[in-house]
Amino acid sequence: MKILLLIIISFILSSHSNAQSNYNNFNHYYGVQVNTGVTFFDLEPLKDEFNASVDMIRNTYNIPMEVQDLYPPNISWSAYLFWYISPRSSIVIGPEYTSTRAYLMYQDYAGTFDVKSEIKLYYLSIGYRVHFFEVPIIQPFMGLNAGVAQTDFEMDSELNINNGQILETDHSEVTDVGYSFEPYLGCTYDLKYVVLELVTAYKIVMLDKLLIAPDNFNIKLGVKVGVFK
Amino acid sequence: MKKYVVLLLLGFLYLNSCTLVTEPERFYNDKAYPPELYSFDFENLQPGQHVDGTIRVIFNPSNITYDFDEILLVIDSAGYSTFETLPSVIELNTRHFDEGLHTISLYVYQKNKPHGLLNLLNPPSDIFQTSLYFDRTPPIPVQLTVTNINDEEIKLNWTENTDQTFFAYLVYKSINDADYLLIDTIYHRSTTAITDTNDLTLIGANYSYKVAVTTDYLFAYKSESNIGKCKLGNSFEYTFSGFKGGPYLDDERDLVYYLVDHQLVCFSTINNSFVNKVILTGLPTSGENLFFNFNKDKTKIYLLSIANKNLWVINSLNFNLEKQINLPEATRDFYVLDDTRIMLNNTDWLKIIDINANTILNTLILPVDTWAQFGAVNEQGTRLILSWWPQSVGHFFAEMDITDNNFQILRQIPSDYSHMPLVITKNKLYNNGTKIYDLSTFNFISIYPITFFNSFAAYDDKVAFLHYASSNLRKIHLHDIQNHLIKGWFIVCGQKMQVGHDKVFTEFGSENILGYSLNYGE
C-alpha cells in the first residue's frame, strides 16, 4: 500500500512539473484518474446475525465476550480511464476494490475464542458523467456507473480450551458475482496540471447467493491527469 | 491555496495508505476463574470408611453462598442423583455399585457461572469429593443374653459389634411366638445393654428377643443374634378345642366366663383360678357362636343359640342348669326382662317370650323401614333402651317400658347410629363404646376421642377398648370415665396356635377386671 502511495505522489509531482499549461480546457482531454476513499457498508442482516450469536453466547453461558469490530467503514481504491466526449460529459471505465472485516477475539484463563470475518468487494464498471457548469476551477458533476461485482465472504472461528485439549476450528468461504449500480455526485478542482475530484456515491450491489446486502456509501477523493486535445 | 489543497490531498492519501480495519488485541476477561475442588468429609463418615446398603448423609457446605441450579451426586464418574436445595439429605444405595473403594463427588452447578470459556462445557463451580469403601461383608452377629428381673424388667446384654459397616443395633421382641416387633434402635456401637419394661403384662407368656446388627439406615442388611428367651410369671391355662365366646365379665363377683366347646367355664379374676363349668347339652362342639346375657343382678346367665334354637338358663351362683328350652324363633339379639320373660329382637319385629311356659306373650311388628338394632335393659329391670332407626327420620334411643308386655315406648331421644351393642352400667348408657349418656336425662357425660378399636367393654365407670396390635396380638386400653388411660396390656389371639391346643388365659391385676382368650376379637 505504501508503494502505491509513493507512486501516486511521484506521479502528482511529475505531473505538476511536466503538464501542459492550458488547464482551462481540461475538459477536453482523455486520461486516467485514481480514487481512494472510505466505504460505509450496510450489511445489516449479517451484522444482526453476528450480534445475535454473540448475545446468545453471552446470555446463555455468562461469557462477557464482545464484538470488537463489525464490518466498519474501510478504505476503497479505484482507477478509471476517462474520455471526454463533449466539454460537459465524459465516459469512465475501470475497476474498484474495497473490503471490511469483523473481529471477536476473547481470552480468559481457560483459553481463547476468536471469530474473524472478511468481506471483499471487486467491481468493474463503466459510467457516464455530466458536468453542470463549465466553470474554470470548480465544476460540480453527477454520474452513474454500472457493472459487474464480485463479493468474497470468509469467516474463521477457533475455540481453544486448556491449551488445545479442546480445539474446535471452523472456516467458511463463499464467493458470489452480481451487478452493481452507482449513482454519484461530485465536483472537480483544477490544480492547473492535475485535477482533484471529490465524489459521494451510493453503490447498489445485487448478488444471487449471498444475503448480506453489501450496498455501501462511498466518499472518494480522486486525482486526474490526462492529455489535452 | 493550491499548496493547502495539495497538502490535504497528501494527508488523505497517507491516512488511506493502510487498511483502516486492523486485527484488534484479544479482550482478556480477568474476572473469570476456574472451578474449585475440595476434599469433603461427610458427618459420621470418614474418608475410606466401609459402608453398606443405603447410606444417608447431610450435605451442607458452608462456602456455597451463591445461587445454584442443582447439585449432582456423582459416584466415580457417573451421575447418581440431583437435588436443588441446601442443606440436602443424600441417600445412596451402595448396593447399586461394585464392592470396593469409590469416589463420591458432589458437583455444585452455579447459576451464572464465572468460569469463562469453560462455561461452554457446563462445569460445576465447586466439587466436593471423598471416598468410601462399599463393603457387602455381612456383619458378625452379636451374642445375646436375656434375664428376667422380678417379672417387671427384662435385661438384655449383648456383645459389642466390631464391623466397620456397623450402623445400628436393632432390638426385636416377640410375645408368645408372635411376630417380632422392633422395640429399640441403638446407634452407639458401645451401648450393648437395655432393660425392657414395656408391655410386660402377659403372665405366663414367653418373651423372646433378638438383636440385629444393621449396616444401613433402612435396616435392609443385617445379621441377627441368637434368640434370648424368658418366661414372665405363671399363667393359668385351660385347654379346649373350640372357642365360642367371651370374655363375659361379672365384675361384682370378680368372675369371667367363656364359652368353649360345649361348656360354659368360669374363672376368678382375682387369682386366675378355675371356678366352675356347665355342660351345655345339645350344643355342637364347634362351628357356632352363642349369645350371652345376664339377668339384672347377674344371678342368672342366659345363653341363646340361633343354630339349634336353644335357650339355656344357668344359675351363676351354683352353676346349675336351670332351664333348657327350644325357641323356634331365636334371634341374635335378645334381652332378659326378668326371670320369666325375655325379648327377642329380629330388627323388624320384637317378641316377648314367657320362658317358663315357652309362649309368646306379645309381638310388635315394627313399621316398614324402621329397625331396632341393639338394646340394653337398665339395672332396675324396668326399661329397655333400644337403638331405634326409623330410616327416613334418623337414629333414636327408644326407651321402652318392660314392666308389662305392651311394648310401650316412653320417649325417643335423638342419638347416633349404633354399630356395637349398647351397654348399661352404673345408670349410664354406653353407645359404640365412645359416647356415654346419663340414663335418666340422656345428657352426654363424656365422649372418648378414640376412633379405631375392634370392640369394647364397659363396667364400673370404665371402658376397655380392644385394638389391633399385630397379626396375633391385640392390645387393651382401659380408660376411666374422665378419659384417662388407666393401663394397657396385650392379649394373644389364636392364629398361630394349633387347632386342638388352644388355651384360655386370664390376667388379673390391680383392676381385677378382664380376662382374655386366644381367640378373643377374631
Side-chain angles (χ1 to χ4, degrees), chain A residues 63-65 68 104-114 160 163, chain B residues 25-32 116-117:
Chain A
I63 303 173
M65 53 179 57
Q68 289 155 296
L104 185 159
M105 302 183 71
Y106 172 89
Q107 182 174 11
D108 59 35
Y109 74 94
T112 59
F113 178 64
D114 297 339
N160 185 338
N163 294 321
Chain B
E25 289 196 5
R26 280 196 182 86
F27 166 72
Y28 187 81
N29 176 14
D30 58 357
K31 293 184 173 57
L117 285 177

Side-chain angles (χ1 to χ4, degrees), chain A residues 1-2 5 8-9 12 36-37 61-65 68-69 72-75 77 101 103 105-114 116 159 161 166 189 191-192 196 221 223, chain B residues 1-2 5-6 8-10 12-30 32-35 111-122:
Chain A
M1 199 62 70
K2 298 274 187 187
L5 174 65
I8 292 169
I9 293 173
I12 291 172
T36 184
Y61 298 103
N62 192 33
I63 303 173
M65 53 179 57
Q68 289 155 296
D69 283 317
N74 199 20
I75 190 170
W77 290 99
R101 297 174 185 177
Y103 291 100
M105 302 183 71
Y106 172 89
Q107 182 174 11
D108 59 35
Y109 74 94
T112 59
F113 178 64
D114 297 339
K116 301 175 185 176
L159 173 65
I161 296 178
I166 297 174
Y189 181 72
L191 283 176
K192 193 179 231 180
L196 297 183
L221 185 65
V223 179
Chain B
M1 175 65 183
K2 290 182 181 178
V5 173
V6 170
L8 180 63
L9 171 66
L10 292 175
F12 187 82
L13 290 174
Y14 178 76
L15 287 175
N16 267 14
S17 64
C18 57
T19 303
L20 290 177
V21 185
T22 56
E23 183 172 307
E25 289 196 5
R26 280 196 182 86
F27 166 72
Y28 187 81
N29 176 14
D30 58 357
Y33 56 87
K111 291 181 178 175
N112 298 321
K113 298 178 182 63
H115 308 309
L117 285 177
L118 277 190
N119 290 356
L120 296 171
L121 309 178
N122 190 28

Side-chain angles (χ1 to χ4, degrees), chain B residues 411-442:
Chain B
R411 53 178 171 168
Q412 293 187 54
I413 302 96
S415 73
D416 292 326
Y417 172 69
S418 299
H419 56 81
M420 290 186 178
L422 299 177
V423 174
I424 292 176
T425 178
K426 298 283 186 183
N427 201 37
K428 298 180 184 65
L429 175 66
Y430 294 75
N431 186 25
N432 296 329
T434 55
K435 294 188 176 178
I436 305 172
Y437 301 83
D438 182 292
L439 199 52
S440 303
T441 62
F442 280 91

Side-chain angles (χ1 to χ4, degrees), chain A residues 178-213:
Chain A
Y179 303 96
S180 69
F181 299 93
E182 184 184 28
Y184 56 87
L185 289 170
C187 65
T188 56
Y189 181 72
D190 185 0
L191 283 176
K192 193 179 231 180
Y193 301 109
V194 297
V195 176
L196 297 183
E197 179 177 291
L198 183 64
V199 177
T200 60
Y202 189 79
K203 199 183 297 287
I204 301 166
V205 182
M206 294 176 291
L207 300 174
D208 291 335
K209 291 185 289 187
L210 281 171
L211 300 175
I212 59 174

Side-chain angles (χ1 to χ4, degrees), chain B residues 92-106:
Chain B
L92 168 63
N93 188 344
T94 65
R95 295 268 176 150
H96 290 169
F97 303 90
D98 295 335
E99 277 192 287
L101 192 65
H102 293 267
T103 301
I104 317 297
S105 306
L106 288 142

Side-chain angles (χ1 to χ4, degrees), chain B residues 295-364:
Chain B
N295 65 349
K296 67 177 182 181
D297 56 5
K298 296 189 177 177
T299 57
K300 292 184 180 179
I301 295 169
Y302 295 73
L303 300 172
L304 185 61
S305 165
I306 298 176
N308 67 2
K309 313 296 185 187
N310 265 346
L311 174 73
W312 292 269
V313 181
I314 298 162
N315 187 315
S316 62
L317 301 178
N318 56 21
F319 290 92
N320 287 334
L321 176 61
E322 293 191 346
K323 201 179 295 295
Q324 180 175 352
I325 62 174
N326 182 261
L327 289 176
E329 295 183 286
T331 54
R332 181 183 183 280
D333 212 21
F334 76 103
Y335 319 112
V336 179
L337 306 183
D338 54 34
D339 285 350
T340 61
R341 296 179 303 148
I342 64 169
M343 183 186 291
L344 302 178
N345 179 358
N346 197 45
T347 69
D348 55 353
W349 55 252
L350 302 172
K351 293 187 178 183
I352 298 175
I353 310 293
D354 181 336
I355 59 172
N356 289 329
N358 195 5
T359 57
I360 299 172
L361 298 175
N362 202 357
T363 300
L364 174 65

